[in-house]
């Protein structure tokens, strides 16, 4: 994958993209990602190819964040069976548990709470899934893409002092509303790491006691279709692929109010190898 | 005045999962899912039908609903399907606007 353009954003890239081997290269055309400086000091980040998009960024830091996301998009679009979900994931004894939900639903906080309890953080913000081919019996795999975990600030109430210390000790950069974390060695999966997907959990911070409810295929498609990013897969194929996915991997809705209680329920529910919750 | 008829946009792809209908409008690649009543309407639009015909069919299926309300609901639902590019309005045997 090649990125061409302004050097300033690239100096910040390691904040947002962990573990991707990178080196300077002679100019080669066409690049996958292009970073163009704007006269006002901002940057335009363009993705070429199937994931074609353009993002306007006000600072080098924002542009670096955009390049990190673009790199994941380019990588995913290269494999016709890969789909990127906007979500987080943690590796529990039962297998990989992917967490999806609307913005602010608690994906990052639950994944990091699980990580702070000793489970391997498999991804935050984006996780790649390899969808099963039609008629194939292979397991569904999650693939880590190596984006830096991001935690909204202030932390959700009730997460506890130990979690606050965990986040603080790993914060590589903190803005006003979010902190970007650098997990310690062994705490997070390296980019490209694979694990069998045990479950997908759709988060619903609607209040009440934490509880898991199994979703059917149609509910799964409705819940996941807006959280999947796959510009290389036509929408009609995506609907069929999510239908097949829902028949291979259990999909749950997790209603909760308190993140710590929800994380504890996930840890308990997926505590045993081979269990699906 | 000849009443227009409606029919499914043949370019729209349909996937039925657990009795629920998911449609994809090809130009926008937008995915729609239909509630049970709109699904029934979509199935009826497999062949061209006027709003009057559709209202009569729904009135027979839901005799307690009241024909005025059914007429309004059918008009709103068909307008929505046409606006989303999921159905086409035909005048005689031609597609309106083509």
């Amino acid at each position: 994958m090649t990125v061409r353009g302004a050097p300033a954003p690239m100096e910040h890239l390691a904040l947002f993209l962990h573990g991707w081997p990178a080196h300077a290269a002679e100019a080669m055309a066409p690049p996958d990602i292009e970073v163009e400086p704007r006269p006002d000091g901002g940057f335009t980040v363009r993705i070429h190819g199937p994931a074609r998009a353009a993002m306007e960024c006000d600072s080098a830091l924002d542009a670096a964040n955009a390049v990190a996301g673009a790199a994941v998009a380019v990588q995913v679009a290269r494999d016709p069976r890969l789909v990127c979900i906007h979500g987080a994931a943690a590796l529990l004894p039962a297998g990989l548990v992917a967490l999806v939900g609307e913005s602010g639903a608690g994906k990052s906080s639950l994944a990091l709470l699980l990580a702070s309890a000793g489970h391997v953080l498999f991804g935050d913000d984006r996780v790649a899934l390899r969808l099963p081919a039609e008629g194939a019996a292979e397991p569904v795999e999650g693939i880590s893409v190596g984006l830096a975990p991001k935690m909204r600030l202030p932390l959700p109430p009730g997460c506890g002092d130990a979690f606050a210390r965990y986040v603080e000790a790993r914060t590589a950069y903190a803005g006003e509303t979010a902190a970007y974390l650098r997990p310690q060695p062994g705490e997070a999966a390296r980019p490209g790491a694979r694990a069998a997907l045990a479950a997908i959990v759709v988060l619903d911070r609607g209040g009440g006691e934490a509880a898991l409810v199994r979703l059917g295929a149609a509910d799964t498609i409705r819940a996941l279709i807006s959280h999947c990013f796959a510009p290389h897969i036509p929408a009609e194929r995506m609907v069929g692929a999510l239908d097949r996915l829902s028949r291979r991997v259990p999909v749950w809705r997790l209603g909760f109010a308190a993140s710590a209680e929800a994380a504890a329920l996930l840890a308990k529910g997926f505590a045993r190898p081979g269990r699906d919750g | 005045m000849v009443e227009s008829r409606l029919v499914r946009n043949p370019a729209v792809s349909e996937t039925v999962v657990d009795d629920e209908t998911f449609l994809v409008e090809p130009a926008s690649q937008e995915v729609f899912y239909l509630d049970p009543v709109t699904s029934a309407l979509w199935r009826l639009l497999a062949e061209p039908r006027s709003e009057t015909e559709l209202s009569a069919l729904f009135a027979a299926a839901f005799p307690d609903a009241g024909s005025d309300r059914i007429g309004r609901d059918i008009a709103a639902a068909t307008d929505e399907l046409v606006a989303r590019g999921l159905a086409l309005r035909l005048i005689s045997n031609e597609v309106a606007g083509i």
Side-chain angles (χ1 to χ4, degrees), chain A residues 20-90:
Chain A
W20 285 47
H23 62 272
E26 292 299 315
M28 54 184 84
D32 298 295
I33 301 165
E34 210 157 1
V35 185
E36 297 168 3
R38 297 191 319 227
D40 66 354
F43 298 88
T44 302
V45 176
R46 294 183 199 285
I47 310 176
H48 300 294
R52 176 180 300 275
M55 292 158 282
E56 298 299 335
C57 306
D58 291 335
S59 67
L61 207 60
D62 287 346
N65 195 8
V67 169
V72 173
V74 168
Q75 192 69 15
V76 167
R78 285 180 171 172
D79 184 331
R81 283 174 47 206
L82 278 190
V83 167
C84 197
I85 58 166
H86 288 155

Side-chain angles (χ1 to χ4, degrees), chain A residues 217-218 221-222 234-236 243, chain B residues 13 15 17-18 20 22 24 29 33:
Chain A
I221 295 170
R222 278 202 299 270
E236 59 269 24
D243 182 22
Chain B
S13 73
T15 305
V17 177
D18 293 349
E20 293 198 37
F22 293 83
V24 177
Q29 286 286 288
Y33 45 88

Side-chain angles (χ1 to χ4, degrees), chain A residues 164-230:
Chain A
R165 286 195 297 276
Y166 173 90
V167 170
E168 188 178 2
R170 288 152 185 82
T171 296
Y173 168 79
E176 286 183 12
T177 58
Y180 287 88
L181 276 54
R182 177 172 290 281
Q184 293 175 358
E187 290 183 339
R190 294 189 59 77
R194 297 175 176 216
L197 189 63
I200 297 174
V201 177
V202 181
L203 303 183
D204 176 10
R205 186 142 54 182
E209 192 176 338
L212 286 162
V213 177
R214 182 84 179 257
L215 296 182
D219 286 334
T220 294
I221 295 170
R222 278 202 299 270
L224 296 185
I225 193 84
S226 61
H227 300 299
C228 290
F229 173 81

